[in-house]
Amino acid sequence: MRPPDAPPWANQSQDGLLVQTDLPDGWYLPNRYPGERSDDASAEIDKLLGYNDWANNEEQAQGQQESDQNETIDGRWRYIEHEATHTRVMIRLQRQLLGVPEEIRITGVIYLPWRPGDPITSQLLRELPTARIEAAINRRLFAMKRTETITGGKIVLPSGRKVSERNLLKPLGDPKKVPDFYELVALQHGRLTQQGDANPSATMAELNSVALSTAQGWITKARERGLLPPGRRGRAG
């Protein structure tokens, strides 16, 4: 049974950084902020954990500003709970402003078993769906930023050509002859991902009757053009 939520103004999802649909089945996003609070105490949590120690050193702060790394400040802690076990997890979400396209990464995790004092095993930590949550957030935010428009059930590509949504999983053709080819690659990859395909690049190779390496090359070029969010090292698709 879920604990009661906080008042309506205490809404973790109000800034759109994390919403319920980003979470796998079995997890939910309470309205209240971590610590049963009605306000966002992320900066205070960082301070309590010593996660902002670098900012207390002027030289380190100056070096951070001059580097090409993403800022570590302004991370936001969000609290999720597992419905079956009541495991409570706080994840720190950080905008990667230098990413192309911009994305969000999980930069901290606090794992709290339902019963204080219960042990935490390596298996439990491996089962935390952090990668899935991160990927879901970035797919949603990327989709919100896309410039495609839909009129009459069709997607209008940059060249003005229209393609029906129901045709997105048909063969794409020759990249040298098909207008907006890499837009179509991104759309086909996105549709497969939305359907839960664990290895969309392999499925694309099959749909288009090409080698896996060819499909992967298409996807890489689509990413380079900013048409797909960055991939994850060591992960299929």
Side-chain angles (χ1 to χ4, degrees):
M1 180 178 179
R2 297 183 184 183
D5 284 336
W9 62 83
N11 190 344
Q12 288 197 101
S13 62
Q14 65 184 0
D15 61 1
L17 197 61
L18 179 69
V19 299
Q20 179 61 47
T21 55
D22 296 330
L23 303 182
D25 290 342
W27 291 85
Y28 79 97
L29 179 70
N31 279 346
R32 64 193 183 284
Y33 288 99
E36 307 292 331
R37 296 182 57 138
S38 59
D39 62 328
D40 190 345
S42 292
E44 295 173 48
I45 296 173
D46 275 353
K47 184 177 180 179
L48 182 65
L49 296 175
Y51 207 63
N52 62 348
D53 280 352
W54 68 273
N56 296 326
N57 184 305
E58 187 174 347
E59 292 182 1
Q60 288 180 345
Q62 180 66 24
Q64 176 76 11
Q65 292 172 0
E66 294 176 353
S67 76
D68 61 355
Q69 299 298 310
N70 287 284
E71 294 287 347
T72 59
I73 60 174
D74 293 333
R76 291 291 177 263
W77 288 93
R78 293 294 178 258
Y79 161 55
I80 61 177
E81 187 166 324
H82 190 259
E83 292 183 319
T85 65
H86 301 290
T87 296
R88 296 164 293 166
V89 176
M90 289 191 286
I91 54 177
R92 189 180 190 273
L93 301 173
Q94 179 74 45
R95 293 186 184 277
Q96 306 295 300
L97 301 179
L98 300 181
V100 181
E102 180 184 325
E103 62 177 347
I104 289 176
R105 293 290 184 90
I106 293 176
T107 59
V109 175
I110 299 175
Y111 185 104
L112 300 170
W114 180 46
R115 294 184 178 85
D118 278 0
I120 299 174
T121 66
S122 57
Q123 179 64 31
L124 290 173
L125 294 177
R126 283 195 295 268
E127 291 174 355
L128 280 178
T130 50
R132 293 171 62 188
I133 293 172
E134 189 178 89
I137 293 171
N138 287 308
R139 283 197 301 269
R140 173 175 56 82
L141 295 180
F142 182 79
M144 290 171 61
K145 294 178 181 178
R146 285 198 57 97
T147 58
E148 70 190 31
T149 59
I150 299 179
T151 57
K154 292 188 176 181
I155 298 170
V156 181
L157 300 172
S159 68
R161 178 189 173 200
K162 296 181 180 180
V163 59
S164 174
E165 288 186 275
R166 64 175 178 271
N167 291 329
L168 291 181
L169 298 185
K170 291 185 177 181
L172 302 177
D174 187 337
K176 295 181 180 180
K177 298 179 181 179
V178 178
D180 304 306
F181 180 81
Y182 292 105
E183 286 275 348
L184 292 171
V185 167
L187 289 167
Q188 187 173 92
H189 186 281
R191 177 54 54 88
L192 291 169
T193 301
Q194 289 172 0
Q195 293 178 351
D197 194 315
N199 193 349
S201 57
T203 303
M204 289 180 68
E206 183 177 351
L207 289 173
N208 293 281
S209 300
V210 298
L212 175 60
S213 59
T214 298
Q216 290 172 331
W218 293 348
I219 293 166
T220 297
K221 290 182 179 180
R223 295 194 199 281
E224 290 172 349
R225 288 165 168 77
L227 301 173
L228 283 172
R232 295 288 179 267
R233 292 182 179 179
R235 292 180 64 84

